[in-house]
Amino acid sequence: MNPRIQVVAGPLKDSVLVLSKADLSIGRDPANLLTISDLSLSRRHCVLSRDGEGYKICDLDSRNGTFVNGVAVKESPLLHGDQISIGDSVFVLLLRDAADESDAGGVEFDEHQTQATAQLRPQDALYLQEDRVLRELPATSRLGRNLNALLKISRVVHTIGDLEQLQSEVLKLTFEIVPAERGAILLDRDGSGRFESEFGRHRLAAIKQPVPVSRTITRQVMEQRVAILGADVPRSDGLSEVESLVRSSVRSLLCVPLMVFDKVIGCIYLDTTHGERRFDEDHLQLVTAIAGIVAVALENARRLQWLEQEHLRLTTEIHLEHNMIGESARMKAVYQLLSRVAPTESTVLIEGASGTGKELAARAIHRNSPRAKKPFVAINCAAIPEGLLESELFGHERGSFTNAFTQKKGRLEMAQGGVVFLDEIGEMAPALQVKLLRVLQEREFERVGGTRPIKVDIRLIAATNRSLEECVKAGSFRKDLYYRLNVVSLAMPALQDRPDDIASLAVHCVAKLSKRHHAKPKTISLAAMECLVNYDWPGNVRELENAIERALVMSSSEVIQPEDLPECVLEKDSAPGMVTARYHAALKEAKKQLILNAMDEARGSYTEAARLLGVHPNYLHRLIRNLDLKKSLASSPSSKPNQGTTSDAIMQ
């Protein structure tokens, strides 16, 4: 057959490509033999070439790497059935037909009917019935009692799925045959020696104190993969010097590793402080056998517990209603926190720079809360003058001030039963902070000019783009109000902290703004998208939306090009591997040279350089930042800032 690769995932999914003797180069650049429109691929990502009778793959220093069967490679030979992953695409190399495959490992059923000569129900099996086992062995046989106990443990542990219940039952059954005073089952997290699960119990169930465990002993068992018996700890040369054992008055101990597929997943730890009840070699053999029986059951119970928790988390995230865009790790953490806090009545403080979507997060909390069918009232504390904000919040009585011709309900009263969202709460005047604190404490307030307290049932969500903790230190924000607001804190990530979301946000903005302007949606060219992803977005999502709206207006074709984007986006230095159009590159260099010449002529004075260029000093600072000229200016002797004028000193 002709060698070929089958695409099982990615933009070219379900395609089959026949391989020739020529090298197959793969990447985003149209010059490749196989071009894939995927931003996670480099322009020249990798090459698949002939290697004798087989094939090999070479990574071309790609940004995100080339993987064979899940392992990152620089150069690797390929076998039939190997899976190659690059970006979102997954290929399977096929070197022979399906008919050539071996039947090894298959199953064939024989349909021939036979007459059963004996039948046995599982519950009737001899070795699963401890009483019959004991009858087959001498009544005084210690081996018989031990075998009976092992059979009982084996039968019981595989009927329990809950991890904590399983651990408790294993220790309880172990206490029946080992004279241990207390025991613990420790499960390792990931082979790092840090225990993910720690369960201990005493022989006397009424004792609820924690079980002391020697970290020295458990570490040795885990690392050396051997069981340890300390029959007489005080007289043992090695164990008598272990401080934790001396402190706990341990007289005898046992610690046995739990092994699954030749991997240590944890250990069973037993000890006693009674000198007359010592462990012996037979106990060591017995607990080792117990560990062999229960290890798989413990691992399965732990994995089941993790799967249930992960299922619950993912289900909650899926059903979380919100209007936010993004699937980066930072945003997934936000969704997870929102899903936890939304069903509660806790006050939430949302922190983040302007334009990060704080109000969207607040609305998501409201939409997924028991108050979802009640009002959501938003108030921007920075947008309303201080003299009017009190009336807006609390309302006023007729005649309470000039032009108060009628009684007016405040926003808090209008939100009865629902959610009040106070945006930019850091701008609230100190006098209003006192009244808001009373609302949070007593759930009541008085209208301006009123004397009757009004009870209110609301949930408060506050947001700020400033650090309230710093405001408290500066004395501009009340400490007691800060603690009342900061019950649950949510930090909205800046756009530059989640660059993986920029592309999806840009596409969403195009669709949203096209619908608003009743225009046909346009696509974003690859070069324009690279510019968007490469930019820092100090104005966050709001700035991105404005840039997309400008591009939709300025674009004269069906595709948004780099020249349709704002200058500040194009001024940013290109990312490694990103090819900038000659026109934009030349324009950027010209701007750099003009600024450097002006700063040189002005002898480092920003104000004078801005005057020479005919621009505002703030605009000059932005250009220097976007064009990354600070290092060039700092290294130039003649461009050290002139501190002679007040305006220059302020601008710096």
CSV table of all heavy atoms in Angstrom, one decimal, residues 203-257:
chain,number,residue,atom,x,y,z
A,203,ARG,N,-7.6,1.8,67.5
A,203,ARG,CA,-8.3,0.6,67.7
A,203,ARG,C,-9.6,0.8,68.4
A,203,ARG,O,-10.6,0.3,68.1
A,203,ARG,CB,-7.4,-0.4,68.5
A,203,ARG,CG,-8.1,-1.7,68.9
A,203,ARG,CD,-7.2,-2.6,69.7
A,203,ARG,NE,-6.2,-3.2,68.9
A,203,ARG,CZ,-6.3,-4.3,68.2
A,203,ARG,NH1,-7.5,-4.9,68.3
A,203,ARG,NH2,-5.4,-4.8,67.5
A,204,LEU,N,-9.5,1.7,69.5
A,204,LEU,CA,-10.8,2.1,70.1
A,204,LEU,C,-11.4,3.3,69.3
A,204,LEU,O,-10.8,4.4,69.3
A,204,LEU,CB,-10.4,2.6,71.6
A,204,LEU,CG,-9.9,1.5,72.5
A,204,LEU,CD1,-9.5,2.1,73.9
A,204,LEU,CD2,-10.9,0.4,72.7
A,205,ALA,N,-12.5,3.0,68.7
A,205,ALA,CA,-13.1,4.0,67.8
A,205,ALA,C,-13.5,5.3,68.6
A,205,ALA,O,-13.7,6.3,68.0
A,205,ALA,CB,-14.4,3.4,67.2
A,206,ALA,N,-13.7,5.2,69.9
A,206,ALA,CA,-14.1,6.4,70.7
A,206,ALA,C,-13.0,7.4,70.7
A,206,ALA,O,-13.3,8.6,71.0
A,206,ALA,CB,-14.5,5.9,72.1
A,207,ILE,N,-11.7,7.0,70.5
A,207,ILE,CA,-10.6,8.0,70.5
A,207,ILE,C,-10.6,8.7,69.2
A,207,ILE,O,-10.4,8.1,68.2
A,207,ILE,CB,-9.3,7.2,70.8
A,207,ILE,CG1,-9.3,6.4,72.1
A,207,ILE,CG2,-8.1,8.2,70.8
A,207,ILE,CD1,-8.1,5.7,72.4
A,208,LYS,N,-10.7,10.0,69.3
A,208,LYS,CA,-10.8,10.9,68.1
A,208,LYS,C,-9.5,11.7,67.9
A,208,LYS,O,-9.5,12.5,67.0
A,208,LYS,CB,-12.0,11.8,68.2
A,208,LYS,CG,-13.3,11.1,68.4
A,208,LYS,CD,-13.6,10.2,67.2
A,208,LYS,CE,-15.0,9.5,67.4
A,208,LYS,NZ,-15.3,8.5,66.3
A,209,GLN,N,-8.5,11.4,68.6
A,209,GLN,CA,-7.3,12.2,68.5
A,209,GLN,C,-6.5,11.8,67.2
A,209,GLN,O,-6.7,10.7,66.7
A,209,GLN,CB,-6.3,11.9,69.7
A,209,GLN,CG,-6.9,12.4,71.0
A,209,GLN,CD,-6.0,12.0,72.2
A,209,GLN,OE1,-5.0,11.3,72.0
A,209,GLN,NE2,-6.4,12.5,73.4
A,210,PRO,N,-5.8,12.8,66.6
A,210,PRO,CA,-5.0,12.4,65.4
A,210,PRO,C,-4.0,11.3,65.7
A,210,PRO,O,-3.5,11.2,66.8
A,210,PRO,CB,-4.3,13.7,65.1
A,210,PRO,CG,-5.1,14.8,65.8
A,210,PRO,CD,-5.6,14.2,67.0
A,211,VAL,N,-3.7,10.5,64.7
A,211,VAL,CA,-2.7,9.4,64.8
A,211,VAL,C,-1.3,10.0,64.4
A,211,VAL,O,-1.1,10.4,63.3
A,211,VAL,CB,-3.1,8.3,63.9
A,211,VAL,CG1,-2.0,7.2,63.9
A,211,VAL,CG2,-4.4,7.6,64.3
A,212,PRO,N,-0.4,9.9,65.4
A,212,PRO,CA,1.0,10.4,65.1
A,212,PRO,C,1.7,9.4,64.2
A,212,PRO,O,1.7,8.2,64.4
A,212,PRO,CB,1.7,10.5,66.4
A,212,PRO,CG,0.9,9.5,67.3
A,212,PRO,CD,-0.5,9.5,66.8
A,213,VAL,N,2.3,9.9,63.1
A,213,VAL,CA,3.0,9.0,62.1
A,213,VAL,C,4.4,9.6,61.9
A,213,VAL,O,4.6,10.8,61.8
A,213,VAL,CB,2.3,9.0,60.8
A,213,VAL,CG1,3.1,8.3,59.7
A,213,VAL,CG2,0.9,8.4,60.9
A,214,SER,N,5.4,8.7,61.9
A,214,SER,CA,6.8,9.1,61.7
A,214,SER,C,7.1,9.3,60.3
A,214,SER,O,7.0,8.4,59.4
A,214,SER,CB,7.7,8.0,62.3
A,214,SER,OG,9.0,8.3,61.9
A,215,ARG,N,7.4,10.6,59.9
A,215,ARG,CA,7.7,10.9,58.5
A,215,ARG,C,9.0,10.2,58.1
A,215,ARG,O,9.1,9.9,56.9
A,215,ARG,CB,7.8,12.4,58.4
A,215,ARG,CG,7.9,12.9,56.9
A,215,ARG,CD,7.8,14.4,56.8
A,215,ARG,NE,6.5,14.9,57.2
A,215,ARG,CZ,5.4,15.0,56.5
A,215,ARG,NH1,5.5,14.5,55.2
A,215,ARG,NH2,4.3,15.5,56.9
A,216,THR,N,9.9,10.1,59.0
A,216,THR,CA,11.2,9.4,58.7
A,216,THR,C,10.9,8.0,58.2
A,216,THR,O,11.5,7.5,57.2
A,216,THR,CB,12.1,9.4,59.9
A,216,THR,OG1,12.3,10.7,60.4
A,216,THR,CG2,13.4,8.7,59.6
A,217,ILE,N,10.1,7.3,58.9
A,217,ILE,CA,9.8,5.9,58.5
A,217,ILE,C,9.0,5.8,57.2
A,217,ILE,O,9.4,5.0,56.3
A,217,ILE,CB,9.0,5.2,59.7
A,217,ILE,CG1,9.8,5.2,61.0
A,217,ILE,CG2,8.6,3.7,59.2
A,217,ILE,CD1,11.1,4.4,60.9
A,218,THR,N,8.0,6.6,57.1
A,218,THR,CA,7.2,6.5,55.8
A,218,THR,C,8.0,6.9,54.6
A,218,THR,O,7.9,6.4,53.6
A,218,THR,CB,6.0,7.5,56.0
A,218,THR,OG1,6.4,8.8,56.3
A,218,THR,CG2,5.0,7.0,57.1
A,219,ARG,N,8.9,7.9,54.8
A,219,ARG,CA,9.8,8.3,53.7
A,219,ARG,C,10.7,7.2,53.3
A,219,ARG,O,10.9,6.9,52.1
A,219,ARG,CB,10.6,9.6,54.1
A,219,ARG,CG,11.4,10.1,52.9
A,219,ARG,CD,12.3,11.3,53.3
A,219,ARG,NE,11.5,12.4,53.7
A,219,ARG,CZ,11.4,13.0,54.9
A,219,ARG,NH1,12.2,12.4,55.9
A,219,ARG,NH2,10.7,14.0,55.2
A,220,GLN,N,11.3,6.5,54.2
A,220,GLN,CA,12.2,5.4,53.9
A,220,GLN,C,11.4,4.3,53.2
A,220,GLN,O,11.9,3.7,52.3
A,220,GLN,CB,12.8,4.9,55.2
A,220,GLN,CG,13.8,3.8,55.0
A,220,GLN,CD,14.4,3.3,56.3
A,220,GLN,OE1,14.3,3.9,57.4
A,220,GLN,NE2,15.1,2.1,56.3
A,221,VAL,N,10.2,4.0,53.7
A,221,VAL,CA,9.4,2.9,53.0
A,221,VAL,C,9.1,3.3,51.6
A,221,VAL,O,9.1,2.4,50.7
A,221,VAL,CB,8.1,2.6,53.9
A,221,VAL,CG1,7.2,1.8,53.1
A,221,VAL,CG2,8.5,2.0,55.2
A,222,MET,N,8.7,4.5,51.4
A,222,MET,CA,8.3,5.0,50.1
A,222,MET,C,9.4,5.0,49.1
A,222,MET,O,9.3,4.6,47.9
A,222,MET,CB,7.6,6.4,50.1
A,222,MET,CG,6.4,6.4,51.0
A,222,MET,SD,4.9,5.7,50.2
A,222,MET,CE,4.6,6.9,48.9
A,223,GLU,N,10.6,5.5,49.6
A,223,GLU,CA,11.7,5.6,48.7
A,223,GLU,C,12.4,4.3,48.4
A,223,GLU,O,12.8,4.0,47.3
A,223,GLU,CB,12.7,6.6,49.3
A,223,GLU,CG,12.3,8.0,49.4
A,223,GLU,CD,13.2,9.0,50.1
A,223,GLU,OE1,14.2,8.4,50.6
A,223,GLU,OE2,13.0,10.2,50.1
A,224,GLN,N,12.5,3.4,49.4
A,224,GLN,CA,13.2,2.2,49.3
A,224,GLN,C,12.3,1.0,48.9
A,224,GLN,O,12.8,-0.1,48.6
A,224,GLN,CB,14.0,1.8,50.6
A,224,GLN,CG,15.0,2.8,50.9
A,224,GLN,CD,15.8,2.5,52.2
A,224,GLN,OE1,15.6,1.4,52.8
A,224,GLN,NE2,16.6,3.4,52.7
A,225,ARG,N,11.0,1.2,48.9
A,225,ARG,CA,10.0,0.3,48.5
A,225,ARG,C,10.1,-1.0,49.3
A,225,ARG,O,10.0,-2.1,48.7
A,225,ARG,CB,10.1,0.0,47.0
A,225,ARG,CG,10.1,1.2,46.1
A,225,ARG,CD,10.7,1.1,44.8
A,225,ARG,NE,10.0,0.1,43.9
A,225,ARG,CZ,9.2,0.5,43.0
A,225,ARG,NH1,8.9,1.8,42.8
A,225,ARG,NH2,8.6,-0.4,42.2
A,226,VAL,N,10.4,-0.9,50.5
A,226,VAL,CA,10.5,-2.1,51.4
A,226,VAL,C,9.7,-1.9,52.7
A,226,VAL,O,9.4,-0.7,53.1
A,226,VAL,CB,12.0,-2.3,51.8
A,226,VAL,CG1,12.8,-2.7,50.6
A,226,VAL,CG2,12.5,-1.1,52.6
A,227,ALA,N,9.2,-3.0,53.2
A,227,ALA,CA,8.4,-2.9,54.5
A,227,ALA,C,9.4,-2.8,55.7
A,227,ALA,O,10.5,-3.4,55.6
A,227,ALA,CB,7.5,-4.1,54.6
A,228,ILE,N,9.0,-2.2,56.7
A,228,ILE,CA,9.9,-2.0,57.9
A,228,ILE,C,9.1,-2.6,59.1
A,228,ILE,O,8.0,-2.2,59.4
A,228,ILE,CB,10.3,-0.5,58.2
A,228,ILE,CG1,11.2,-0.1,57.1
A,228,ILE,CG2,10.9,-0.4,59.5
A,228,ILE,CD1,11.6,1.4,57.2
A,229,LEU,N,9.8,-3.4,59.9
A,229,LEU,CA,9.3,-4.0,61.1
A,229,LEU,C,10.2,-3.5,62.3
A,229,LEU,O,11.4,-3.7,62.2
A,229,LEU,CB,9.3,-5.5,61.1
A,229,LEU,CG,9.1,-6.2,62.5
A,229,LEU,CD1,7.7,-5.9,63.1
A,229,LEU,CD2,9.2,-7.7,62.3
A,230,GLY,N,9.6,-2.9,63.3
A,230,GLY,CA,10.4,-2.5,64.5
A,230,GLY,C,9.7,-3.2,65.6
A,230,GLY,O,8.8,-2.7,66.3
A,231,ALA,N,10.2,-4.4,65.9
A,231,ALA,CA,9.6,-5.2,66.9
A,231,ALA,C,9.8,-4.6,68.3
A,231,ALA,O,8.9,-4.6,69.1
A,231,ALA,CB,10.2,-6.6,66.9
A,232,ASP,N,11.0,-4.0,68.6
A,232,ASP,CA,11.3,-3.4,69.9
A,232,ASP,C,12.0,-2.1,69.6
A,232,ASP,O,13.2,-2.1,69.5
A,232,ASP,CB,12.1,-4.3,70.7
A,232,ASP,CG,12.2,-3.9,72.2
A,232,ASP,OD1,11.7,-2.7,72.5
A,232,ASP,OD2,12.7,-4.6,73.0
A,233,VAL,N,11.2,-1.0,69.4
A,233,VAL,CA,11.8,0.2,69.0
A,233,VAL,C,12.8,0.8,69.9
A,233,VAL,O,13.9,1.2,69.5
A,233,VAL,CB,10.6,1.3,68.7
A,233,VAL,CG1,11.2,2.7,68.5
A,233,VAL,CG2,9.8,0.8,67.5
A,234,PRO,N,12.5,0.8,71.3
A,234,PRO,CA,13.5,1.4,72.2
A,234,PRO,C,14.9,0.7,72.2
A,234,PRO,O,15.9,1.4,72.5
A,234,PRO,CB,12.8,1.3,73.6
A,234,PRO,CG,11.4,1.2,73.3
A,234,PRO,CD,11.3,0.4,72.0
A,235,ARG,N,14.9,-0.6,71.8
A,235,ARG,CA,16.2,-1.3,71.8
A,235,ARG,C,16.8,-1.4,70.5
A,235,ARG,O,17.8,-2.1,70.3
A,235,ARG,CB,16.0,-2.7,72.4
A,235,ARG,CG,15.5,-2.7,73.9
A,235,ARG,CD,15.4,-4.1,74.5
A,235,ARG,NE,15.0,-4.1,75.9
A,235,ARG,CZ,14.8,-5.1,76.6
A,235,ARG,NH1,15.0,-6.3,76.1
A,235,ARG,NH2,14.4,-5.0,77.9
A,236,SER,N,16.1,-0.9,69.5
A,236,SER,CA,16.6,-0.9,68.1
A,236,SER,C,17.7,0.2,67.9
A,236,SER,O,17.4,1.3,68.2
A,236,SER,CB,15.5,-0.8,67.1
A,236,SER,OG,16.0,-0.6,65.8
A,237,ASP,N,18.8,-0.2,67.3
A,237,ASP,CA,19.9,0.7,67.1
A,237,ASP,C,19.5,1.9,66.2
A,237,ASP,O,19.8,3.1,66.4
A,237,ASP,CB,21.1,0.1,66.5
A,237,ASP,CG,21.8,-0.9,67.5
A,237,ASP,OD1,21.6,-0.7,68.7
A,237,ASP,OD2,22.5,-1.8,67.0
A,238,GLY,N,18.7,1.6,65.1
A,238,GLY,CA,18.3,2.6,64.2
A,238,GLY,C,17.1,3.4,64.6
A,238,GLY,O,17.0,4.6,64.6
A,239,LEU,N,16.0,2.6,65.1
A,239,LEU,CA,14.7,3.3,65.4
A,239,LEU,C,14.7,4.0,66.7
A,239,LEU,O,13.9,5.0,66.8
A,239,LEU,CB,13.6,2.2,65.4
A,239,LEU,CG,13.4,1.5,64.0
A,239,LEU,CD1,12.3,0.4,64.2
A,239,LEU,CD2,13.1,2.4,62.9
A,240,SER,N,15.6,3.7,67.6
A,240,SER,CA,15.5,4.3,68.9
A,240,SER,C,16.0,5.8,68.8
A,240,SER,O,15.8,6.5,69.8
A,240,SER,CB,16.4,3.5,69.9
A,240,SER,OG,17.8,3.5,69.4
A,241,GLU,N,16.7,6.1,67.7
A,241,GLU,CA,17.1,7.5,67.6
A,241,GLU,C,16.2,8.4,66.8
A,241,GLU,O,16.4,9.6,66.6
A,241,GLU,CB,18.5,7.4,66.8
A,241,GLU,CG,19.6,6.7,67.6
A,241,GLU,CD,20.9,6.6,66.8
A,241,GLU,OE1,20.9,7.1,65.7
A,241,GLU,OE2,21.8,6.0,67.4
A,242,VAL,N,15.1,7.8,66.3
A,242,VAL,CA,14.1,8.6,65.6
A,242,VAL,C,13.3,9.4,66.5
A,242,VAL,O,12.5,8.9,67.4
A,242,VAL,CB,13.2,7.7,64.7
A,242,VAL,CG1,12.1,8.5,64.0
A,242,VAL,CG2,14.0,6.9,63.7
A,243,GLU,N,13.4,10.7,66.5
A,243,GLU,CA,12.8,11.6,67.5
A,243,GLU,C,11.3,11.5,67.5
A,243,GLU,O,10.7,11.5,68.6
A,243,GLU,CB,13.2,13.1,67.1
A,243,GLU,CG,12.7,14.1,68.1
A,243,GLU,CD,13.0,15.5,67.7
A,243,GLU,OE1,13.9,15.7,66.8
A,243,GLU,OE2,12.5,16.4,68.4
A,244,SER,N,10.6,11.4,66.4
A,244,SER,CA,9.2,11.3,66.4
A,244,SER,C,8.7,10.0,67.1
A,244,SER,O,7.6,10.0,67.7
A,244,SER,CB,8.6,11.3,64.9
A,244,SER,OG,9.2,10.2,64.2
A,245,LEU,N,9.4,8.9,67.0
A,245,LEU,CA,9.0,7.7,67.6
A,245,LEU,C,9.2,7.8,69.2
A,245,LEU,O,8.4,7.3,69.9
A,245,LEU,CB,9.8,6.5,67.1
A,245,LEU,CG,9.6,6.2,65.6
A,245,LEU,CD1,10.5,5.0,65.2
A,245,LEU,CD2,8.2,5.9,65.3
A,246,VAL,N,10.3,8.4,69.5
A,246,VAL,CA,10.6,8.6,71.0
A,246,VAL,C,9.5,9.5,71.6
A,246,VAL,O,9.0,9.3,72.7
A,246,VAL,CB,12.0,9.2,71.2
A,246,VAL,CG1,12.2,9.5,72.7
A,246,VAL,CG2,13.1,8.3,70.7
A,247,ARG,N,9.2,10.6,70.9
A,247,ARG,CA,8.2,11.5,71.4
A,247,ARG,C,6.8,10.9,71.5
A,247,ARG,O,6.1,11.3,72.4
A,247,ARG,CB,8.1,12.8,70.4
A,247,ARG,CG,7.3,13.9,70.9
A,247,ARG,CD,7.5,15.2,70.1
A,247,ARG,NE,7.2,15.0,68.7
A,247,ARG,CZ,8.1,15.0,67.8
A,247,ARG,NH1,9.4,15.2,68.1
A,247,ARG,NH2,7.7,14.8,66.5
A,248,SER,N,6.5,10.0,70.7
A,248,SER,CA,5.2,9.3,70.7
A,248,SER,C,5.2,8.0,71.6
A,248,SER,O,4.1,7.3,71.6
A,248,SER,CB,4.7,9.0,69.3
A,248,SER,OG,4.6,10.1,68.5
A,249,SER,N,6.3,7.7,72.2
A,249,SER,CA,6.4,6.5,73.0
A,249,SER,C,6.1,5.2,72.3
A,249,SER,O,5.5,4.3,72.9
A,249,SER,CB,5.5,6.6,74.3
A,249,SER,OG,5.9,7.8,75.0
A,250,VAL,N,6.5,5.1,71.0
A,250,VAL,CA,6.2,3.9,70.2
A,250,VAL,C,7.1,2.8,70.7
A,250,VAL,O,8.3,2.9,70.7
A,250,VAL,CB,6.4,4.2,68.7
A,250,VAL,CG1,6.2,3.0,67.9
A,250,VAL,CG2,5.4,5.3,68.3
A,251,ARG,N,6.5,1.6,71.0
A,251,ARG,CA,7.3,0.5,71.4
A,251,ARG,C,7.5,-0.5,70.2
A,251,ARG,O,8.5,-1.3,70.2
A,251,ARG,CB,6.6,-0.3,72.5
A,251,ARG,CG,6.4,0.6,73.8
A,251,ARG,CD,7.7,1.2,74.3
A,251,ARG,NE,8.5,0.1,74.8
A,251,ARG,CZ,8.5,-0.4,76.0
A,251,ARG,NH1,7.6,0.1,76.9
A,251,ARG,NH2,9.3,-1.4,76.4
A,252,SER,N,6.5,-0.6,69.3
A,252,SER,CA,6.6,-1.5,68.2
A,252,SER,C,5.9,-0.9,67.0
A,252,SER,O,4.8,-0.2,67.2
A,252,SER,CB,6.0,-2.8,68.6
A,252,SER,OG,6.3,-3.8,67.6
A,253,LEU,N,6.4,-1.1,65.8
A,253,LEU,CA,5.8,-0.5,64.6
A,253,LEU,C,5.9,-1.3,63.4
A,253,LEU,O,6.8,-2.2,63.3
A,253,LEU,CB,6.3,0.9,64.3
A,253,LEU,CG,7.8,1.1,63.8
A,253,LEU,CD1,7.8,0.9,62.3
A,253,LEU,CD2,8.3,2.4,64.2
A,254,LEU,N,5.0,-1.1,62.4
A,254,LEU,CA,5.0,-1.8,61.1
A,254,LEU,C,4.7,-0.7,60.1
A,254,LEU,O,3.7,0.0,60.2
A,254,LEU,CB,4.0,-2.9,61.1
A,254,LEU,CG,4.4,-4.3,61.3
A,254,LEU,CD1,3.2,-5.2,61.3
A,254,LEU,CD2,5.4,-4.8,60.2
A,255,CYS,N,5.4,-0.7,59.0
A,255,CYS,CA,5.1,0.2,57.8
A,255,CYS,C,5.3,-0.6,56.5
A,255,CYS,O,6.5,-1.1,56.3
A,255,CYS,CB,5.9,1.5,57.9
A,255,CYS,SG,5.4,2.7,56.7
A,256,VAL,N,4.3,-0.7,55.7
A,256,VAL,CA,4.3,-1.5,54.5
A,256,VAL,C,3.9,-0.7,53.3
A,256,VAL,O,2.9,0.0,53.4
A,256,VAL,CB,3.4,-2.8,54.7
A,256,VAL,CG1,3.4,-3.6,53.4
A,256,VAL,CG2,3.8,-3.6,55.9
A,257,PRO,N,4.7,-0.8,52.2
A,257,PRO,CA,4.3,0.0,51.0
A,257,PRO,C,3.1,-0.6,50.3
A,257,PRO,O,2.9,-1.8,50.3
A,257,PRO,CB,5.6,-0.1,50.1
A,257,PRO,CG,6.2,-1.4,50.5
A,257,PRO,CD,5.9,-1.5,52.0
